[in-house]
Amino acid sequence: AQSVTQPDIHITVSEGASLELRCNYSYGATPYLFWYVQSPDQGHPLLLKYFSGDTLVQGIKGFEAEFKRSQSSFNLRKPSVHWSDAAEYFCAVVDPIGGYQKVTFGIGTKLQVIP
Amino acid sequence: GAGVSQSPRYKVAKRGQDVALRCDPISGHVSLFWYQQALGQGPEFLTYFQNEAQLDKSGLPSDRFFAERPEGSVSTLKIQRTQQEDSAVYLCASSHGLAGGGGTGELFFGEGSRLTVL
């Protein structure tokens, strides 16, 4: 069964610093990959997604993620963090083969931004 | 509607009480999912509907949990004889295609229903 690992439960960065949130997946082939953000006032909007093609994908709010097949990773990055980025971030994977596409989520990484 | 709507947003129940949580998905979305998110955890799959058909209920933790989507739009998650371990946020998500987002799996989430069982 597919699984997602987010090794960092909590990360603190200074505003303006760069950010990388790690995500590793376990799946036999290349799944569809997603990053969702969860905050009290924003629900769970999708930041970005990867299906195929260019392994570097751009998302909203200046986020990007890079798919690395050799490492089974899909790390989320942002060059300069803003205070409004403080939230919880979930990596998710979908098995593209099968009758329907059940989304499996990681445990989440909570991002704290300090001035 | 414009987005996925869930109600109630907050529910406090006494242990043993039955609760019903409602989800109104985005109009026209075929797929509907329920997830349970315990404190400090990621969302855990509960069940999946394709229109009115419940195709997967493998994530329902016990037979006290029941979900329905009788007309292929609004869905209700019912929990009977609630227990303290049922305390969690229950998330509903919908997607466009048979498998989500035109086949891409992208989900559109509601804001969740936070259940607290005392």
Side-chain angles (χ1 to χ4, degrees):
Chain A
Q2 62 207 39
S3 66
V4 180
T5 302
Q6 292 181 248
D8 304 307
I9 303 299
H10 190 272
I11 283 184
T12 300
V13 300
S14 298
E15 189 170 16
S18 64
L19 171 70
E20 182 169 35
L21 303 183
R22 294 184 290 166
C23 173
N24 293 92
Y25 66 89
S26 172
Y27 181 63
T30 300
Y32 296 155
L33 296 158
F34 305 80
W35 276 98
Y36 286 88
V37 60
Q38 180 179 27
S39 60
D41 59 345
Q42 295 185 37
H44 291 70
L46 178 69
L47 283 179
L48 45 75
K49 56 192 176 187
Y50 172 79
F51 304 134
S52 64
D54 193 347
T55 56
L56 183 64
V57 293
Q58 302 297 322
I60 63 172
K61 301 173 65 178
F63 285 92
E64 65 178 26
E66 185 172 11
F67 168 62
K68 293 185 177 179
R69 186 191 308 275
S70 62
Q71 299 177 17
S72 296
S73 69
F74 189 58
N75 294 348
L76 181 70
R77 303 194 295 248
K78 186 170 185 178
S80 178
V81 170
H82 187 263
W83 64 267
S84 62
D85 294 326
E88 191 156 20
Y89 293 81
F90 292 92
C91 182
V93 60
V94 169
D95 177 0
I97 300 172
Y100 78 96
Q101 293 160 0
K102 184 166 72 178
V103 182
T104 300
F105 288 86
I107 196 172
T109 299
K110 187 166 289 187
L111 173 65
Q112 182 181 10
V113 181
I114 58 177
Chain B
V4 178
S5 177
Q6 290 188 246
S7 62
R9 289 289 312 278
Y10 303 92
K11 176 68 179 179
V12 179
K14 293 181 179 179
R15 190 160 56 99
Q17 186 179 350
D18 296 349
V19 300
L21 308 176
R22 175 189 167 104
C23 172
D24 197 343
I26 293 173
S27 178
H29 276 195
V30 169
S31 297
L32 185 144
F33 299 80
W34 282 98
Y35 282 81
Q36 180 191 57
Q37 186 174 13
L39 189 64
Q41 301 295 318
E44 295 282 344
F45 171 80
L46 291 178
T47 187
Y48 165 69
F49 289 87
Q50 185 182 107
N51 295 308
E52 71 279 2
Q54 188 176 22
L55 299 189
D56 187 342
K57 53 182 181 179
S58 63
L60 296 177
S62 77
D63 59 6
R64 296 185 295 102
F65 285 72
F66 172 77
E68 60 183 4
R69 194 186 185 197
E71 297 178 358
S73 56
V74 172
S75 176
T76 303
L77 175 67
K78 298 179 180 178
I79 309 172
Q80 297 176 321
R81 304 181 303 282
T82 53
Q83 304 295 315
Q84 284 188 324
E85 62 263 27
D86 300 335
S87 296
V89 175
Y90 290 86
L91 297 166
C92 176
S94 68
S95 60
H96 181 270
L98 284 178
T104 63
E106 178 177 349
L107 298 177
F108 296 84
F109 283 90
E111 293 185 345
S113 292
R114 182 179 297 276
L115 172 64
T116 303
V117 182
L118 303 177

